Amino acid sequence: MEDLLAAIVAELAEQEGISDHALGKRLGLGMSQLNRALSLLCLDAAAGGLGLVEARQDERRRTLWLTDKGRTLCRPN
C-alpha cells in the first residue's frame, strides 16, 4: 500500500489538478482501489490519514491536488 500511496503523490507532484479517472488510468488502478488510497491520503492526521492530497469537486469531475504538506514532502532538499 505504501508504494501505491507514494506513486499517487509522485503523479500529483508532476501534474496537479488531474481528474481521479485520469490518475487511475495512468497508474493502472480501478476506481475502488484508487478511492481507498485517496481516502487515506485526503484525511488529515487527526482523522487517521496523511493529509497529503485534496480532492475538489467541480460539477461532475473530481480533481486532485497536493496540500501544502504534500508539496513540502515532494520538494527536493
Side-chain angles (χ1 to χ4, degrees):
M1 179 65 131
E2 289 177 19
D3 291 341
L4 173 58
L5 299 178
I8 291 170
V9 170
E11 284 292 325
L12 291 176
E14 293 287 320
Q15 182 181 356
E16 287 192 87
I18 190 171
S19 73
D20 55 354
H21 289 284
L23 179 63
K25 203 172 204 179
R26 283 174 91 166
L27 295 174
L29 301 172
M31 286 307 294
S32 62
Q33 187 179 14
L34 179 61
N35 284 331
R36 282 191 302 274
L38 286 174
S39 65
L40 182 60
L41 288 168
C42 290
L43 286 175
D44 63 22
L50 300 172
L52 301 176
V53 175
E54 176 186 354
R56 300 179 190 164
Q57 189 77 36
D58 36 327
E59 304 222 4
R60 297 185 309 194
R61 201 174 110 151
R62 181 171 68 162
T63 55
L64 304 169
W65 305 81
L66 290 175
T67 62
D68 290 339
K69 182 179 176 181
R71 281 187 206 93
T72 299
L73 180 68
C74 294
R75 193 175 301 137
N77 294 330

